[in-house]
Amino acid sequence: MKLNDNEIRDITRLLEEGKPLPDKYRFSLFGDDREIELVWNGKSGDVTNISLPFQTIEHIDEPRLEKEVTSQLDLFDPITGRQLKGWTNKLIWGDNKYILSSLKSGTVRDQIEANGGIKLIYIDPPFDVGADFTMDVQIGDETLEKEPNVLEELAYRDTWGRGKDSFLQMIYERLKLMKDLMANDASIYVHSDPRVSDSIKHIMDEIFGKDNFRNQIAWCYVGGRVPKTAYGRRHDVILFYSKSQETPFYWQEVMKPLNEAQQSRYKYQDEKGKYRLMGRYLKDSPIKGSRDIDPKWEKSHPDLTFRYYMKEGTLCLDYWNDINQLNQVAKDRTGYPTQKPVELAERIIKASTKEGDIVCDFFCGSGTTAEVAEKLGRKWICADLGKFSIHTSRKRLIGVQRLLKKNKKNYRAFEVLNLGKYERDFFVSGLTRNDDSINDQIVKNKELAFNSLILKAYQAEAVSEFRTFRGKKNNRLVAIGPVNLPVSRLYAEEVVSECVEKSITKADILAFEFEMGLFPSIQDDASKKGVDLVLKHIPKEVFDKKAVERGTAKFHDVAYIEVRPHIKGNKLAIELTNYSVFYTQGITSLTEEKLKSGASQIIVENGQILKLSKDKEGITNPREQITKKWSDWIDYWSIDFNYESKKEIINHKDLKTGEKVEKWTGSYIFENEWQSFRTRQDRNIELISVPYELNNGRYKVAIKVVDIFGNDTMKVIDITIGGRI
């Protein structure tokens, strides 16, 4: 379309004034032949291509029975009964954008392709603008509302900071990455609600092609309030697409179970099963139409009757009204707010995969997709940004392994992964040497202002002559981790390296979050080099000016564990004897001030959980301590009886040659050989392990504890079996 002189003048004037152009000029100027495209503020087609190695934090596998092991020595360790080869399921903690990018371009892609590729992706992204990472944590008969940590709040802000615009950009980039990962015959289901489902459908039409749209499924359920000014909302939307038209996607018809009313119509039974009598329609028949008839007709009019046998169910249509949301007292309820029923995941997985296929969920929440996939004999990869989500899923999946083992059914090992600790700091932390561009990035991201804020709250003075340190407090130098990622081993090693280089003997690392499995090994390594290294959590109150001025923004140490070994002959049991935490969540005085008459609230103060309350007259009651003993903090603990038996090897592709590179990180993989944990149904926890038999020799035994907030810490002890070696 040719522009006339007036249109050219209008466009020129608008551009000079910095104003947006009217939509009418869009196609004439840019020649875009797409019929419909969803556009939002900040839309970008750029997709991250960062490839980071995955760090194996933990390997979890219930030992097999001796019969199973001896019959498959090529797969299982004959001594421990644990899986040695074959596909290992993956539970990944981190930002799914970087996880997807690393799966796409890294060495795990080779494993995926060798196992047939990803055949199904089901995601349930956080589509509620009011959603956050707040969790209800059960402590005895009380419930504590766990606040999100700073990393989770940043992720929430990235997703909803610009409202729907930022949510759409988040899901747009991730869907593009997911499509690249999928096998050509794969399917994808995206779960949303009517507030964003129309926008997501436009995005999926753009990415997957409108010809690959299969269904818009309405998941109907009951419950909830009915608004006074609208119809009650009682359904979510699940969009179902295939990847390609050229390659047929897998599809298996799924039957919807008959309800009680439908089953009650089958009143009779013979050797073939339950049936009902039906009348055949004939023009001269006294039976008008096909309907249930009296059994007397079968004898007197056999030519006008037939037996209709009860089937497994009816074929599923695109509205599902036979699966309800989980209620708060459901037996399989984990406490995760967005948890979906297993029946929903089961229907999707059965319809779009067969046994042995890989199923993925990159917003896995409490692990429902992984649980169902494991029970149905599928392989799986699941990921989530929330550490509490990963912890909840881990407990749930150990329960699945135990159940399948009890029922003598097959199951696979799974591993808990991080994004690689040896690479990600190169694009985030600014700690690599001689990299001016990174320093420029720090300035642009206002990290200097962030450091100043932290140092003020920590009551430390700023320093500038160091590579990694940002402050000094008394005789200790202070390093501050990145605001948007956990402190990694590389970061900590760089801090220790500068300490050794400059004869610094005392150092603190402050962080909002620490990488899983980082301590105590990093402190032990530092101690061997003459460095007293202390790790402290930065409280969220540093962003509260009044809290900083009052000195109530308390930095707390990481937790520590005390254990007692029990050795009898060649058998070793570990007893957990103490666990100390120093968390603070909420400020007691402020909470009591704001508390209404007759109300109560649970807070955390210096490692103690307290219940604050007021009576009906507004008088403050004495504070009630909920955590009566140290073990109340423990939600889960596990043991690796031979910690240094499995080196952690990371694999990544050389960016220049594309060749696979293997590297020992200097760490070991925690092989989960015994564990005890609480569930919502059973709040008890064992504090001494079962005896574990070891050969004579010296061993490093690792004990891992995860607290009720989902934070983990570990202790490694030296044990000698069989006397002097």
Side-chain angles (χ1 to χ4, degrees):
M1 174 182 171
K2 189 175 181 180
L3 300 175
N4 59 41
D5 292 341
N6 289 334
E7 289 173 327
I8 293 172
R9 279 195 299 272
D10 287 343
I11 291 172
T12 303
R13 176 178 56 79
L14 290 168
L15 290 174
E16 288 174 347
E17 295 174 357
K19 295 180 179 179
L21 298 179
D23 288 341
K24 66 179 182 178
Y25 293 124
R26 178 178 174 191
F27 295 104
S28 56
L29 282 174
F30 303 108
D32 196 330
D33 59 357
R34 284 175 284 192
E35 295 178 11
I36 298 176
E37 180 193 357
L38 184 66
V39 179
W40 56 88
N41 183 26
K43 181 176 182 180
S44 170
D46 295 340
V47 174
T48 183
N49 61 357
I50 291 167
S51 177
L52 308 175
F54 289 99
Q55 171 197 359
T56 304
I57 300 297
E58 189 171 349
H59 184 91
I60 303 172
D61 188 18
E62 277 289 309
R64 270 78 180 169
L65 300 174
E66 186 175 347
K67 181 180 178 182
E68 294 174 299
V69 171
T70 53
S71 64
Q72 301 181 76
L73 291 175
D74 57 330
L75 287 179
F76 305 116
D77 186 314
I79 298 174
T80 65
R82 298 180 182 279
Q83 183 178 323
L84 295 175
K85 296 180 181 178
W87 173 267
T88 302
N89 292 319
K90 305 179 192 312
L91 182 61
I92 311 174
W93 177 48
D95 187 325
N96 56 18
K97 177 169 73 172
Y98 300 124
I99 290 170
L100 286 162
S101 178
S102 300
L103 287 173
K104 169 188 168 184
S105 306
T107 56
V108 176
R109 181 77 179 256
D110 298 334
Q111 296 179 41
I112 291 171
E113 300 301 332
N115 283 271
I118 293 171
K119 296 300 177 74
L120 170 65
I121 294 176
Y122 166 73
I123 58 171
D124 180 15
F127 50 78
D128 184 353
V129 293
D132 57 24
F133 289 86
T134 301
M135 296 291 304
D136 286 340
V137 177
Q138 194 173 345
I139 309 151
D141 296 329
E142 299 289 344
T143 299
L144 167 69
E145 189 177 77
K146 172 194 167 293
E147 295 177 357
N149 61 37
V150 171
L151 268 65
E152 292 167 338
E153 287 190 341
L154 284 170
Y156 173 72
R157 192 180 306 159
D158 288 345
T159 302
W160 289 111
R162 299 193 314 274
K164 194 173 179 180
D165 286 341
S166 51
F167 171 79
L168 294 177
Q169 183 59 38
M170 180 277 292
I171 199 69
Y172 180 66
E173 181 173 5
R174 284 154 178 78
L175 285 171
K176 291 182 81 169
L177 288 165
M178 288 179 205
K179 182 186 178 185
D180 190 280
L181 270 172
M182 293 164 61
N184 287 335
D185 57 348
S187 301
I188 181 168
Y189 292 72
V190 179
H191 194 131
S192 67
D193 82 349
R195 286 168 287 183
V196 291
S197 60
D198 57 338
S199 300
I200 293 178
K201 186 177 187 309
H202 284 306
I203 289 174
M204 296 190 74
D205 281 345
E206 178 183 336
I207 295 173
F208 291 91
K210 61 183 180 181
D211 292 335
N212 287 318
F213 168 71
R214 299 300 162 199
N215 282 109
Q216 177 170 292
I217 300 162
W219 174 40
C220 307
Y221 44 77
V222 298
R225 297 179 179 178
V226 178
K228 295 181 179 179
T229 57
Y231 299 107
R233 184 182 296 132
R234 291 292 181 275
H235 80 280
D236 286 354
V237 173
I238 304 174
L239 296 168
F240 167 29
Y241 281 72
S242 59
K243 180 179 179 180
S244 170
Q245 277 193 306
E246 287 72 30
T247 306
F249 62 97
Y250 179 82
W251 174 252
Q252 175 63 50
E253 290 183 336
V254 178
M255 303 297 286
K256 176 180 173 182
L258 300 178
N259 58 39
E260 290 184 11
Q262 290 170 321
Q263 292 183 39
S264 67
R265 299 179 66 183
Y266 296 86
K267 301 175 182 178
Y268 314 110
Q269 186 164 0
D270 62 15
E271 67 281 357
K272 293 182 180 180
K274 290 185 176 182
Y275 66 91
R276 59 188 173 117
L277 287 172
M278 303 289 290
R280 298 183 186 278
Y281 176 78
L282 297 172
K283 273 188 177 183
D284 55 351
S285 170
I287 304 172
K288 304 299 182 185
S290 179
R291 57 186 177 85
D292 292 344
I293 60 172
D294 188 286
K296 294 177 182 178
W297 272 86
E298 186 178 29
K299 294 181 178 179
S300 57
H301 302 83
D303 56 328
L304 297 179
T305 59
F306 71 99
R307 296 184 178 188
Y308 188 86
Y309 288 92
M310 187 171 75
K311 296 181 179 179
E312 177 187 348
T314 58
L315 287 175
C316 280
L317 303 178
D318 62 0
Y319 66 93
W320 300 348
N321 59 1
D322 59 319
I323 300 173
N324 265 323
Q325 287 183 319
L326 287 173
N327 60 48
Q328 294 301 317
V329 295
K331 186 178 179 181
D332 53 351
R333 187 84 189 178
T334 64
Y336 208 81
T338 58
Q339 183 181 349
K340 298 298 184 293
V342 295
E343 293 85 359
L344 190 71
E346 187 176 273
R347 181 166 295 173
I348 291 169
I349 291 172
K350 282 183 175 179
S352 293
T353 64
K354 54 185 182 295
E355 280 195 39
D357 284 348
I358 300 177
V359 175
C360 294
D361 183 350
F362 298 104
F363 298 86
C364 74
S366 62
T368 300
T369 302
E371 174 184 338
V372 175
E374 184 67 45
K375 287 180 177 178
L376 294 178
R378 274 66 167 173
K379 302 163 187 170
W380 53 265
I381 302 172
C382 289
D384 204 281
L385 178 66
K387 186 182 278 190
F388 194 87
S389 165
I390 298 300
H391 172 53
T392 302
S393 299
R394 169 172 49 194
K395 290 198 302 181
R396 191 172 181 180
L397 293 164
I398 291 172
V400 172
Q401 285 188 345
R402 291 178 177 180
L403 178 65
L404 292 173
K405 178 181 179 179
K406 180 181 178 181
N407 294 333
K408 299 181 179 179
K409 294 183 178 179
N410 293 330
Y411 54 92
R412 294 180 184 276
F414 72 94
E415 51 193 359
V416 180
L417 305 175
N418 255 348
L419 282 177
K421 59 193 175 188
Y422 278 87
E423 302 292 336
R424 65 179 166 202
D425 295 78
F426 284 94
F427 72 93
V428 174
S429 71
L431 293 184
T432 51
R433 297 178 176 131
N434 304 319
D435 193 339
D436 294 333
S437 64
I438 296 290
N439 290 326
D440 290 339
Q441 180 183 333
I442 291 175
V443 174
K444 291 176 184 177
N445 291 340
K446 300 181 179 178
E447 191 155 339
L448 292 176
F450 165 70
N451 290 337
S452 177
L453 178 74
I454 301 303
L455 292 173
K456 182 179 179 181
Y458 196 53
Q459 299 178 1
E461 59 182 295
V463 295
S464 58
E465 65 269 26
F466 297 96
R467 187 171 64 252
T468 63
F469 295 107
R470 302 290 178 256
K472 185 177 182 181
K473 182 175 182 179
N474 300 326
N475 61 343
R476 306 185 69 87
L477 285 169
V478 180
I480 301 172
V483 67
N484 56 345
L485 280 176
V487 158
S488 67
R489 180 168 293 275
L490 176 63
Y491 186 106
E493 286 176 348
E494 190 69 16
V495 169
V496 174
S497 175
E498 186 169 16
C499 286
V500 173
E501 179 186 321
K502 298 179 179 177
S503 301
I504 299 164
T505 58
K506 296 180 180 181
D508 297 344
I509 298 180
L510 312 180
F512 290 112
E513 186 70 270
F514 292 95
E515 191 175 72
M516 290 182 182
L518 180 62
F519 37 84
S521 58
I522 189 63
Q523 291 111 312
D524 293 342
D525 292 344
S527 180
K528 291 174 184 176
K529 296 175 181 178
V531 179
D532 174 21
L533 185 66
V534 172
L535 309 181
K536 287 182 178 286
H537 287 277
I538 302 172
K540 290 202 305 183
E541 285 77 17
V542 295
F543 299 114
D544 183 341
K545 186 178 179 180
K546 291 182 179 179
V548 172
E549 291 173 351
R550 284 193 301 264
T552 53
K554 302 293 185 183
F555 292 70
H556 60 84
D557 294 334
V558 296
Y560 71 86
I561 309 166
E562 292 181 11
V563 300
R564 180 183 297 122
H566 297 271
I567 302 173
K568 190 173 182 179
N570 282 68
K571 291 187 176 181
L572 168 67
I574 299 294
E575 181 183 2
L576 204 56
T577 58
N578 198 7
Y579 179 68
S580 297
V581 296
F582 308 94
Y583 300 133
T584 293
Q585 177 180 291
I587 300 171
T588 308
S589 58
L590 292 181
T591 303
E592 286 179 330
E593 286 176 18
K594 296 178 180 179
L595 204 59
K596 295 180 180 179
S597 299
S600 64
Q601 187 170 335
I602 307 292
I603 69 159
V604 186
E605 185 176 72
N606 196 28
Q608 297 297 331
I609 299 178
L610 307 173
K611 183 177 182 178
L612 310 179
S613 63
K614 286 183 179 178
D615 62 22
K616 293 180 180 179
E617 282 71 41
I619 298 173
T620 302
N621 295 318
R623 298 170 186 175
E624 179 185 351
Q625 186 170 320
I626 304 301
T627 42
K628 306 295 184 185
K629 50 189 182 296
W630 59 267
S631 58
D632 290 341
W633 271 102
I634 298 174
D635 191 60
Y636 168 102
W637 70 293
S638 54
I639 304 170
D640 183 344
F641 289 95
N642 189 10
Y643 178 52
E644 293 187 350
S645 63
K646 190 171 184 178
K647 291 182 177 180
E648 182 201 3
I649 307 295
I650 57 171
N651 299 302
H652 62 98
K653 289 183 179 178
D654 187 281
L655 296 177
K656 294 181 179 179
T657 65
E659 294 181 358
K660 182 178 176 181
V661 179
E662 288 190 350
K663 179 180 179 181
W664 179 38
T665 66
S667 298
Y668 300 89
I669 295 173
F670 183 94
E671 294 190 277
N672 193 318
E673 297 181 293
W674 179 90
Q675 68 284 130
S676 179
F677 53 86
R678 304 183 198 272
T679 66
R680 284 174 68 87
Q681 293 74 38
D682 184 0
R683 302 304 299 160
N684 295 315
I685 192 164
E686 300 169 79
L687 295 178
I688 185 167
S689 74
V690 297
Y692 189 88
E693 190 167 351
L694 295 164
N695 295 324
N696 290 350
R698 290 195 181 99
Y699 295 89
K700 296 278 188 184
V701 179
I703 300 94
K704 179 179 290 189
V705 174
V706 181
D707 64 37
I708 56 176
F709 281 1
N711 297 311
D712 68 297
T713 191
M714 194 167 74
K715 186 179 184 71
V716 180
I717 61 173
D718 293 300
I719 292 293
T720 299
I721 299 294
R724 299 183 65 182
I725 302 297

